[in-house]
Amino acid sequence: MIPAFRTDGYLPEGLHPASEGDATFRFGSDTPRRTRLVLRLRRWLLLARDIGARRLLIDGSFVTAKPEPEDVDAVILLPVNFAAQVEQGSESAIELEQMLLTRRPEELFAAEDELDWNDWFEFFSRTRESDGRRKGLVEIQL
């Protein structure tokens, strides 16, 4: 279960596992902007499942109390055979690779291994506020 927001509008520190349904209901249904962002997230989840991604982390203003979030940041932990899937012509792998290479959308990032994953987790665990306080992130169960 995704915990309630803190008084500053962020999730409590830590990694909060959630199903796709829990995450989309919690963050994607209050405003038209949130609904549009959840459609983007659902596409990434479909691609992640198709390629056998190991993990998917979401962040950005999407997982805050802001009524009109700017974006949904995501990190996908790629499977070890991702390059082979691209070489073999997997449509999902090719589509995802193009997103990652062109940075369109800008808020989707790839982790190639657990070390990368941990670096991204650490990066997104801090706010952009001047005090750089820690905040919570959501991992959608694949």
PDB file of all heavy atoms in Angstrom, residues 49-61:
ATOM      1  N   ARG A  49       7.037  -5.072 -19.436  1.00  0.00           N
ATOM      2  CA  ARG A  49       6.616  -6.474 -19.310  1.00  0.00           C
ATOM      3  C   ARG A  49       6.970  -7.273 -20.560  1.00  0.00           C
ATOM      4  O   ARG A  49       7.411  -8.410 -20.469  1.00  0.00           O
ATOM      5  CB  ARG A  49       5.126  -6.538 -19.009  1.00  0.00           C
ATOM      6  CG  ARG A  49       4.804  -6.061 -17.610  1.00  0.00           C
ATOM      7  CD  ARG A  49       3.324  -6.194 -17.287  1.00  0.00           C
ATOM      8  NE  ARG A  49       3.073  -5.734 -15.939  1.00  0.00           N
ATOM      9  CZ  ARG A  49       2.306  -4.688 -15.635  1.00  0.00           C
ATOM     10  NH1 ARG A  49       1.675  -4.015 -16.593  1.00  0.00           N
ATOM     11  NH2 ARG A  49       2.140  -4.325 -14.378  1.00  0.00           N
ATOM     12  N   ASP A  50       6.792  -6.666 -21.717  1.00  0.00           N
ATOM     13  CA  ASP A  50       7.087  -7.356 -22.971  1.00  0.00           C
ATOM     14  C   ASP A  50       8.555  -7.765 -23.080  1.00  0.00           C
ATOM     15  O   ASP A  50       8.866  -8.812 -23.629  1.00  0.00           O
ATOM     16  CB  ASP A  50       6.730  -6.487 -24.179  1.00  0.00           C
ATOM     17  CG  ASP A  50       5.245  -6.498 -24.501  1.00  0.00           C
ATOM     18  OD1 ASP A  50       4.487  -7.278 -23.885  1.00  0.00           O
ATOM     19  OD2 ASP A  50       4.841  -5.700 -25.381  1.00  0.00           O
ATOM     20  N   ILE A  51       9.440  -6.923 -22.581  1.00  0.00           N
ATOM     21  CA  ILE A  51      10.874  -7.233 -22.703  1.00  0.00           C
ATOM     22  C   ILE A  51      11.407  -8.011 -21.510  1.00  0.00           C
ATOM     23  O   ILE A  51      12.564  -8.411 -21.504  1.00  0.00           O
ATOM     24  CB  ILE A  51      11.721  -5.962 -22.915  1.00  0.00           C
ATOM     25  CG1 ILE A  51      11.682  -5.073 -21.668  1.00  0.00           C
ATOM     26  CG2 ILE A  51      11.292  -5.226 -24.173  1.00  0.00           C
ATOM     27  CD1 ILE A  51      12.790  -4.066 -21.584  1.00  0.00           C
ATOM     28  N   GLY A  52      10.576  -8.201 -20.488  1.00  0.00           N
ATOM     29  CA  GLY A  52      11.030  -8.916 -19.298  1.00  0.00           C
ATOM     30  C   GLY A  52      11.878  -8.056 -18.376  1.00  0.00           C
ATOM     31  O   GLY A  52      12.812  -8.547 -17.734  1.00  0.00           O
ATOM     32  N   ALA A  53      11.548  -6.756 -18.312  1.00  0.00           N
ATOM     33  CA  ALA A  53      12.280  -5.860 -17.415  1.00  0.00           C
ATOM     34  C   ALA A  53      12.193  -6.390 -15.989  1.00  0.00           C
ATOM     35  O   ALA A  53      11.222  -7.053 -15.609  1.00  0.00           O
ATOM     36  CB  ALA A  53      11.704  -4.451 -17.483  1.00  0.00           C
ATOM     37  N   ARG A  54      13.206  -6.082 -15.219  1.00  0.00           N
ATOM     38  CA  ARG A  54      13.265  -6.610 -13.861  1.00  0.00           C
ATOM     39  C   ARG A  54      12.568  -5.713 -12.844  1.00  0.00           C
ATOM     40  O   ARG A  54      12.000  -6.207 -11.880  1.00  0.00           O
ATOM     41  CB  ARG A  54      14.720  -6.856 -13.471  1.00  0.00           C
ATOM     42  CG  ARG A  54      15.337  -7.938 -14.373  1.00  0.00           C
ATOM     43  CD  ARG A  54      16.763  -8.230 -14.019  1.00  0.00           C
ATOM     44  NE  ARG A  54      17.634  -7.221 -14.637  1.00  0.00           N
ATOM     45  CZ  ARG A  54      18.916  -7.084 -14.358  1.00  0.00           C
ATOM     46  NH1 ARG A  54      19.488  -7.845 -13.461  1.00  0.00           N
ATOM     47  NH2 ARG A  54      19.636  -6.164 -14.964  1.00  0.00           N
ATOM     48  N   ARG A  55      12.601  -4.388 -13.074  1.00  0.00           N
ATOM     49  CA  ARG A  55      11.993  -3.464 -12.116  1.00  0.00           C
ATOM     50  C   ARG A  55      11.586  -2.184 -12.837  1.00  0.00           C
ATOM     51  O   ARG A  55      12.172  -1.843 -13.866  1.00  0.00           O
ATOM     52  CB  ARG A  55      12.980  -3.110 -11.001  1.00  0.00           C
ATOM     53  CG  ARG A  55      13.487  -4.309 -10.235  1.00  0.00           C
ATOM     54  CD  ARG A  55      14.566  -3.954  -9.245  1.00  0.00           C
ATOM     55  NE  ARG A  55      13.949  -3.558  -7.979  1.00  0.00           N
ATOM     56  CZ  ARG A  55      14.656  -3.305  -6.874  1.00  0.00           C
ATOM     57  NH1 ARG A  55      15.968  -3.373  -6.890  1.00  0.00           N
ATOM     58  NH2 ARG A  55      14.042  -2.983  -5.761  1.00  0.00           N
ATOM     59  N   LEU A  56      10.619  -1.441 -12.249  1.00  0.00           N
ATOM     60  CA  LEU A  56      10.224  -0.139 -12.768  1.00  0.00           C
ATOM     61  C   LEU A  56       9.934   0.774 -11.584  1.00  0.00           C
ATOM     62  O   LEU A  56       9.080   0.473 -10.743  1.00  0.00           O
ATOM     63  CB  LEU A  56       8.991  -0.230 -13.663  1.00  0.00           C
ATOM     64  CG  LEU A  56       8.658   1.110 -14.317  1.00  0.00           C
ATOM     65  CD1 LEU A  56       9.470   1.287 -15.591  1.00  0.00           C
ATOM     66  CD2 LEU A  56       7.189   1.233 -14.617  1.00  0.00           C
ATOM     67  N   LEU A  57      10.650   1.877 -11.548  1.00  0.00           N
ATOM     68  CA  LEU A  57      10.550   2.871 -10.492  1.00  0.00           C
ATOM     69  C   LEU A  57       9.855   4.103 -11.046  1.00  0.00           C
ATOM     70  O   LEU A  57      10.141   4.502 -12.178  1.00  0.00           O
ATOM     71  CB  LEU A  57      11.975   3.239 -10.056  1.00  0.00           C
ATOM     72  CG  LEU A  57      12.155   4.309  -9.004  1.00  0.00           C
ATOM     73  CD1 LEU A  57      11.939   3.687  -7.630  1.00  0.00           C
ATOM     74  CD2 LEU A  57      13.561   4.877  -9.089  1.00  0.00           C
ATOM     75  N   ILE A  58       8.934   4.694 -10.275  1.00  0.00           N
ATOM     76  CA  ILE A  58       8.323   5.951 -10.718  1.00  0.00           C
ATOM     77  C   ILE A  58       8.535   7.036  -9.681  1.00  0.00           C
ATOM     78  O   ILE A  58       8.592   6.784  -8.477  1.00  0.00           O
ATOM     79  CB  ILE A  58       6.833   5.810 -11.092  1.00  0.00           C
ATOM     80  CG1 ILE A  58       5.993   5.324  -9.929  1.00  0.00           C
ATOM     81  CG2 ILE A  58       6.674   4.931 -12.314  1.00  0.00           C
ATOM     82  CD1 ILE A  58       4.491   5.394 -10.190  1.00  0.00           C
ATOM     83  N   ASP A  59       8.656   8.260 -10.203  1.00  0.00           N
ATOM     84  CA  ASP A  59       8.925   9.430  -9.371  1.00  0.00           C
ATOM     85  C   ASP A  59       8.423  10.657 -10.118  1.00  0.00           C
ATOM     86  O   ASP A  59       7.500  10.568 -10.915  1.00  0.00           O
ATOM     87  CB  ASP A  59      10.432   9.516  -9.067  1.00  0.00           C
ATOM     88  CG  ASP A  59      10.758  10.647  -8.111  1.00  0.00           C
ATOM     89  OD1 ASP A  59      10.037  10.813  -7.111  1.00  0.00           O
ATOM     90  OD2 ASP A  59      11.724  11.391  -8.372  1.00  0.00           O
ATOM     91  N   GLY A  60       9.043  11.761  -9.897  1.00  0.00           N
ATOM     92  CA  GLY A  60       8.632  13.020 -10.499  1.00  0.00           C
ATOM     93  C   GLY A  60       7.466  13.615  -9.734  1.00  0.00           C
ATOM     94  O   GLY A  60       6.998  13.074  -8.736  1.00  0.00           O
ATOM     95  N   SER A  61       6.987  14.739 -10.217  1.00  0.00           N
ATOM     96  CA  SER A  61       5.876  15.389  -9.531  1.00  0.00           C
ATOM     97  C   SER A  61       4.608  14.540  -9.585  1.00  0.00           C
ATOM     98  O   SER A  61       3.676  14.768  -8.827  1.00  0.00           O
ATOM     99  CB  SER A  61       5.635  16.790 -10.102  1.00  0.00           C
ATOM    100  OG  SER A  61       5.506  16.751 -11.501  1.00  0.00           O
TER     101      SER A  61
END
